[in-house]
Amino acid sequence: MYLQMILPNVGNPPENMKLSTTSETLNRGKYLANHVMVCIDCHSQRDFSLFSGPPIPGTEGSGGELFDHSLGFPGTFISPNITPTFLKSYTDGELFRLITTGVKKDGNPIFPIMPYANYGKMDKEDLLSVISYIRTLAPIEKKQPASVADFPFSLIMRTMPQRAELSTRPPATDAIAYGKYLVNASACNDCHTQFENGEYTGEHLAGGRVFNMPDGNILTSSNLTPHKTGLGNWTKDQFIERFKQFEDRNKLNKIQAGEMQTIMPWNMYAGMTVEDLGAIYTYLQSLKPVENQVNKFLKAESL
């Protein structure tokens, strides 16, 4: 009862905000929401009959992606509808607080499958551009079921929201700092750092996080540090091409039962500019090399 009464506490109430709707702002928000922060990835229905599960056209923002016990989550969490049908009940300030601290308008926390801790370190103008953009999505009349956290995680979750520590987006000319900013915005750490029993247990971005896929296959995230077991032997051109080969949805491989599939939204990240992908590569190459050889995909029948 004590936790329920005083937590979460992220400081001040939502701000009174006025958003810009210029074409420049909306284009920036569209770019971030679709290709960097990939909000549209989780808040749409994904087609896992295609490699990397791109969003199904016409479902953008409607929510419905399921994160439950089969994937190792402590409860049943369903991405909500973020089209204007749902967001009309939120002020811009309430939505900004939700994205950057993890606290809903009613004061309750959200599960950090949405990496609000990362978003709370971003540039305010970038975040406002995303809010402006998602306000323009086509309204979809589809109410998703409420998420339910298992006990005692339902109480632990109340301790997790935190005050935003906003930053200023570095200039693109500072490739390492700008790349770090993009890696944070993309929440690469969420998947590419080993995670066990509710906490990160491995070296930052050295891979090794295990995902139990619904079909019984096991997916393990890659090492992104510049060790030879990670990206140590990769050139910048190879890194960029790895993403760009998945940019055309019509050329994504059809996935048959037992074939390698991934939750990594390659098709969406592939929409990043060559310059931004290059900055990410430059930042990753500046990390401490960590030896961590991983077996990225293990078929269920071989367990």
Side-chain angles (χ1 to χ4, degrees):
M1 181 64 71
Y2 176 74
L3 288 178
Q4 291 176 322
M5 290 178 62
I6 69 165
L7 296 177
N9 179 6
V10 292
N12 297 328
E15 295 181 49
N16 183 17
M17 295 178 160
K18 183 174 178 60
L19 300 182
S20 167
T21 56
T22 65
S23 59
E24 181 180 5
T25 295
L26 293 176
N27 286 336
R28 177 67 178 169
K30 181 178 181 179
Y31 176 72
L32 291 170
N34 283 277
H35 304 303
V36 181
M37 297 164 67
V38 291
C39 315
I40 303 304
D41 169 61
C42 283
H43 291 280
S44 303
Q45 292 290 298
R46 296 177 67 180
D47 182 1
F48 280 102
S49 72
L50 297 176
F51 182 73
S52 78
I56 297 172
T59 71
E60 293 87 353
S62 64
E65 274 297 292
L66 176 65
F67 306 89
D68 62 6
H69 301 96
S70 69
L71 295 172
F73 290 98
T76 300
F77 304 98
I78 302 168
S79 65
N81 185 334
I82 61 168
T83 71
T85 301
F86 171 77
L87 293 187
K88 66 184 179 184
S89 66
Y90 269 75
T91 67
D92 296 326
E94 288 169 341
L95 190 54
F96 183 86
R97 185 180 71 166
L98 170 63
I99 293 170
T100 59
T101 71
V103 177
K104 297 188 289 187
K105 63 179 292 182
D106 63 7
N108 286 312
I110 63 171
F111 183 69
I113 189 69
M114 187 181 83
Y116 54 78
N118 291 64
Y119 299 160
K121 296 183 177 73
M122 290 180 63
D123 189 298
K124 185 175 183 178
E125 294 307 312
D126 270 350
L127 294 163
L128 293 179
S129 73
V130 170
I131 294 173
S132 294
Y133 165 68
I134 59 178
R135 293 283 195 198
T136 71
L137 292 175
I140 297 177
E141 299 288 339
K142 187 172 185 180
K143 182 175 177 58
Q144 300 297 348
S147 297
V148 179
D150 295 338
F151 183 83
F153 188 79
S154 55
L155 295 180
I156 296 171
M157 198 165 75
R158 304 191 74 84
T159 71
M160 300 176 75
Q162 53 194 283
R163 298 187 186 198
E165 298 179 355
L166 300 174
S167 66
T168 299
R169 172 162 43 108
T173 52
D174 186 347
I176 291 179
Y178 182 54
K180 181 178 181 180
Y181 179 84
L182 293 170
V183 165
N184 171 74
S186 300
C188 304
N189 60 291
D190 267 18
C191 290
H192 288 277
T193 302
Q194 189 171 323
F195 187 88
E196 298 174 298
N197 300 319
E199 62 180 352
Y200 291 105
T201 57
E203 294 274 3
H204 182 59
L205 294 173
R209 182 166 184 174
V210 174
F211 297 90
N212 296 306
M213 305 292 278
D215 57 7
N217 295 328
I218 292 180
L219 183 70
T220 305
S221 62
S222 301
N223 182 352
L224 300 184
T225 75
H227 189 271
K228 65 180 180 180
T229 58
L231 297 177
N233 296 324
W234 287 56
T235 67
K236 181 186 289 189
D237 287 344
Q238 288 173 326
F239 182 81
I240 293 170
E241 176 55 30
R242 174 63 174 163
F243 284 85
K244 286 300 184 181
Q245 67 178 305
F246 302 116
E247 191 167 16
D248 186 345
R249 178 194 176 94
N250 295 322
K251 294 181 180 178
L252 296 176
N253 289 339
K254 287 275 190 181
I255 300 298
Q256 306 300 323
E259 290 184 338
M260 180 180 178
Q261 179 57 293
T262 180
I263 59 173
M264 168 81 169
W266 285 105
N267 176 244
M268 302 200 76
Y269 285 138
M272 273 194 273
T273 65
V274 167
E275 292 75 18
D276 282 2
L277 288 169
I280 288 174
Y281 171 86
T282 298
Y283 166 67
L284 294 176
Q285 290 294 308
S286 76
L287 297 174
K288 178 185 74 174
V290 177
E291 182 176 2
N292 187 24
Q293 183 71 55
V294 300
N295 184 356
K296 292 190 292 185
F297 187 76
L298 193 61
K299 290 184 181 181
E301 60 265 29
S302 62
L303 297 177

